[in-house]
C-alpha cells in the first residue's frame, strides 16, 4: 500500500506548476487589494497564507478534476459507507490519499481566514468543498461520486485543522516564553 501512496504523491507533483502560477496571480492581485485596504485603514489579508490557499486549491482542482477526461467515468455513484476500504492495497491507498489530500486544506483554511479557525466553520468548509468536487466529478464524468471520499476528505480537513491549532498553540507559547525571558532580563 505504501508504494502506491508514494508513487501517487510523486505523480501529483506534476500539478505543482499550476499551483505556482495560481500563486503568482494571487500575489499580484492580493498585493493590489492590500494596498487599497491599507489606504482606507482596513485590515488586510495575509499574503503568504492567502497565496498558499490559492496554490493549494489550484493543485487540488487539478488533481481531482482537471486531470481527468470528461466522460471517462460516467454514472458511478457509491453511497455505501466504507465500501472502498479493505478490497485491496490499491483501494486502501486511495483511502489514505484522500485523507492526506485534504490535510493541507484544513491547515491553510485556518491560517488564511480567521473565521476558519473555528472548528465547525473549518469542518463545514471541508465538507462542502468535498461534496462540490464529488458532485462535479459525477456530473461531468471526471470521477466517481463516493461517500467514502467525502468522509475521508472531511477527516483530512479535521486533521489539518488540528495541526494548525497545535502549531498555533506552540507558536503562541514560544512567543510568551520569549517575552517572559526578555522581561526578566530587563528587570535584572
Amino acid at each position: 500500500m505504501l508504494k502506491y501512496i508514494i508513487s501517487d504523491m510523486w505523480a501529483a507533483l506534476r500539478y505543482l506548476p499550476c499551483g505556482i502560477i495560481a500563486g503568482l496571480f494571487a500575489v499580484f492581485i492580493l498585493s493590489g487589494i492590500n494596498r487599497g485596504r491599507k489606504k482606507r485603514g482596513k485590515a488586510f489579508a495575509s499574503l503568504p497564507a492567502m497565496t498558499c490557499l490559492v496554490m493549494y486549491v489550484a493543485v487540488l482542482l487539478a488533481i481531482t478534476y482537471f486531470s481527468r477526461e470528461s466522460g471517462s467515468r460516467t454514472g458511478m455513484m457509491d453511497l455505501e459507507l466504507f465500501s472502498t476500504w479493505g478490497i485491496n492495497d490499491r483501494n486502501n491507498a486511495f483511502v489514505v490519499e484522500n485523507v492526506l489530500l485534504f490535510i493541507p486544506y484544513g491547515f491553510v483554511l485556518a491560517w488564511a481566514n480567521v473565521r476558519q479557525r473555528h472548528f465547525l466553520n473549518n469542518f463545514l468548509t471541508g465538507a462542502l468543498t468535498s461534496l462540490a468536487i464529488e458532485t462535479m466529478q459525477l456530473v461531468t464524468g471526471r470521477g466517481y461520486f463516493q461517500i467514502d471520499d467525502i468522509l475521508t476528505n472531511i477527516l483530512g480537513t479535521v486533521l489539518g485543522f488540528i495541526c494548525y491549532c497545535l502549531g498555533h498553540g506552540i507558536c503562541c507559547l514560544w512567543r510568551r516564553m520569549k517575552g517572559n525571558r526578555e522581561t526578566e532580563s530587563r528587570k535584572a
Side-chain angles (χ1 to χ4, degrees):
M1 177 175 70
L2 188 57
K3 71 177 181 176
Y4 289 122
I5 294 169
I6 292 169
S7 172
D8 290 345
M9 291 180 85
W10 277 111
L13 288 178
R14 70 177 176 237
Y15 303 111
L16 199 52
C18 295
I20 292 169
I21 291 168
L24 292 173
F25 279 115
V27 167
F28 179 72
I29 291 167
L30 287 171
S31 294
I33 291 170
N34 279 345
R35 275 193 296 276
R37 292 181 68 81
K38 188 175 183 180
K39 285 179 185 176
R40 291 189 304 262
K42 293 185 175 184
F44 49 90
S46 167
L47 193 59
M50 290 301 291
T51 301
C52 286
L53 180 61
V54 168
M55 290 172 66
Y56 173 78
V57 169
V59 171
L60 176 70
L61 289 173
I63 290 170
T64 61
Y65 187 71
F66 294 116
S67 67
R68 302 166 181 185
E69 189 176 324
S70 184
S72 62
R73 298 168 175 95
T74 56
M76 178 66 176
M77 193 173 200
D78 180 8
L79 300 178
E80 183 182 337
L81 284 176
F82 311 116
S83 65
T84 54
W85 184 260
I87 296 171
N88 56 37
D89 282 349
R90 182 77 212 139
N91 280 30
N92 292 347
F94 286 145
V95 170
V96 172
E97 290 167 13
N98 276 327
V99 174
L100 294 174
L101 182 63
F102 269 70
I103 289 174
Y105 193 51
F107 184 93
V108 176
L109 278 174
W111 182 31
N113 187 328
V114 174
R115 285 181 234 128
Q116 293 295 325
R117 294 179 189 159
H118 299 282
F119 175 79
L120 188 59
N121 292 346
N122 196 282
F123 175 89
L124 289 174
T125 302
L128 290 174
T129 301
S130 182
L131 180 63
I133 289 170
E134 292 296 312
T135 302
M136 284 184 349
Q137 286 178 341
L138 177 67
V139 169
T140 62
R142 291 180 185 257
Y144 302 123
F145 185 101
Q146 294 179 300
I147 197 76
D148 284 356
D149 287 358
I150 295 171
L151 292 176
T152 54
N153 293 344
I154 292 170
L155 176 61
T157 303
V158 168
L159 291 174
F161 177 77
I162 291 168
C163 289
Y164 172 82
C165 291
L166 290 172
H168 183 70
I170 290 169
C171 286
C172 288
L173 182 63
W174 181 75
R175 281 190 213 125
R176 193 176 309 135
M177 289 172 46
K178 184 179 173 184
N180 288 344
R181 278 190 238 129
E182 289 175 3
T183 305
E184 288 173 6
S185 66
R186 282 188 227 141
K187 288 180 182 178

